[in-house]
Amino acid sequence: MKASQFFISTLKEAPADAEVVSHKLMTRAGMIKKLGAGVYNYMPIGLRVIRKVEAIVREEMNRAGAIEVTMPVVQPAELWQETGRFEKMGPELLRIKDRHDRDFVIQPTSEEVVTDIARQELRSYKQLPKNFYQIQTKFRDERRPRFGLMRGREFIMKDAYSFDRDQASAKASYQVMAQAYRRIFDRFGLTYRAVAADSGAIGGDLSEEFQVIAATGEDAIVYCPSSDYAANIEKAEALAPAGPRPAPTQALTKTATPGKSTCADVAELLGLPLAQTVKSLVLATDTLNEHGEVAKSQVWLLLLRGDHDMNEVKVGKLPGMEGGFRFATVAEIEDHFGCKPGYLGPLNLQKPVKVVADREVAVLADWVCGANEVDFHLTGVNWGRDLPEPELVADLRNVVAGDASPDGQGVLAIERGIEVGHVFYLGTKYSKAMNATFLGEDGKPAHFEMGCYGIGVTRLPAAAIEQNHDERGIIWPDAIAPFTVVICPIGMDRSAEVKAAAEKLHDELAALGVDVLLDDRGERPGAMFADWELIGVPHRVVLSDRGLKEGQVEYQHRRDTAASKVSAAELLSFLKERVVL
């Protein structure tokens, strides 16, 4: 490829609405052009990266035995109505009507359509297992699209769906995909972690997120540096606290804490560790009648250490909370506690509530909590002596760095990540909703056991940039760079020797299968170098008349701070050792 035949459009400044590094650099490097809110044109430089991501994904999916299909972007609403998602999904699902007033959706995902394919085509257990995948455009009508391709409305995804005869087979298919994903992400050349993720209402442990490590990532990843343990913050647990609970050493005392309504303020006032305080979180669950109206409500009191935060996913799995919960209203709080928020605690209640203690609180002695009276707290609180043992003890909190790893192999650390892939066991959620069955070995119909597996194809380049950039621009790994090598001839228009050497090197590298570009635009060296540093091509070779006369060229990897001299005669063998083909 020659630059004069390609399209290069770089900018010195990023647009004003670009907030994150990837959005700024992708726009400046001419990879994307904004068409509307959350909708982008993929320009030639950007499309080359996307196509390389797709090629790696396609090769490894095919290698794992998956079969490629393409499902429509526009899908009839009837299928979505079968599963109830047409009504249940929020405004993120873009609904449209055709000229005959029939309902359609712009797909954000394709579980319904692929399940419809399976129920029509897969009639017998002898046809299983099967895994259908596609690399296709999706649309999610985000309320506030931002961060460029990190959270756009239109995007490209690889989504795959496995169909199996039973749970054991489904778990085997899941493991095949989990390993294929590791090969895919290894080939991308990015630093990533596969972390255990919450599997929601399906339950079980078959759910993993693939997170590209980046300081700007939205997700918190918990891991143990001395073991293989890794999970996202919603799923992560610390080692359960060791018992037994210490014996009380203090008397229960009502203590004035004027104006101190937070655990941190109370701890500072009393000169105590924050971990000795207990925060009260008041939640409520509603029971609905046949008309969908609230028939009755149950108020819950969750007790966590003052230095810990509630994990909503864990709380949502408590017995009685599975149907959803909300924070109690001020009126409900005052009705049950006789006090406004800020000074709440489990003693001296006006009305009974369901008390759930985090397991760290359950082993505390001599702790501090609100007295259910404004400007007062209780110190020296102890279970069994001052109040009954908690009705329920559970893991309610987010882990923090330094917690003991649940595998007992060290302490936990936390880093930021960007989710770019997810493998997930679905079970029979969609096959039952759509009555998708096959004839089993016993001659009876059975519902498919399903799994789904996604990779954000257009999100991945943005995540790669968040991980790999500097003040000059992008730094691509070889595998997904728009070009692997760029040849920068100086004075090519004025020197026949430079022109001939540059074209010869270009042809030799191309013959070896290297994705090479020759910059024959005649730009000044500074402008030419700045373009390719911004675009992020990993390997740069500079040819000059003076250098060729000395039998040398300059080579610089994008991560290098300076160029190095290389013998022109040995350049090809030099590059073969450094370029990932």
Side-chain angles (χ1 to χ4, degrees), residues 125 439-445:
Y125 72 94
L439 285 181
E441 204 165 357
D442 58 2
K444 297 179 181 179

Side-chain angles (χ1 to χ4, degrees), residues 514-562:
V514 177
D515 192 3
V516 58
L517 180 133
L518 171 59
D519 192 342
D520 60 344
R521 296 176 296 168
E523 293 278 0
R524 292 178 292 102
M528 184 164 46
F529 297 165
D531 272 350
W532 298 114
E533 287 174 343
L534 172 60
I535 293 168
V537 175
H539 306 274
R540 185 179 78 199
V541 178
V542 179
L543 307 178
S544 66
D545 203 22
R546 178 179 176 182
L548 290 174
K549 287 176 181 177
E550 297 173 354
Q552 293 183 325
V553 300
E554 286 188 354
Y555 166 82
Q556 186 170 353
H557 188 276
R558 179 61 183 80
R559 292 192 183 277
D560 294 343
T561 55

Side-chain angles (χ1 to χ4, degrees), residues 26-37:
M26 291 182 94
T27 305
R28 286 189 56 214
M31 294 182 64
I32 58 174
K33 298 288 183 185
K34 184 177 178 179
L35 183 63

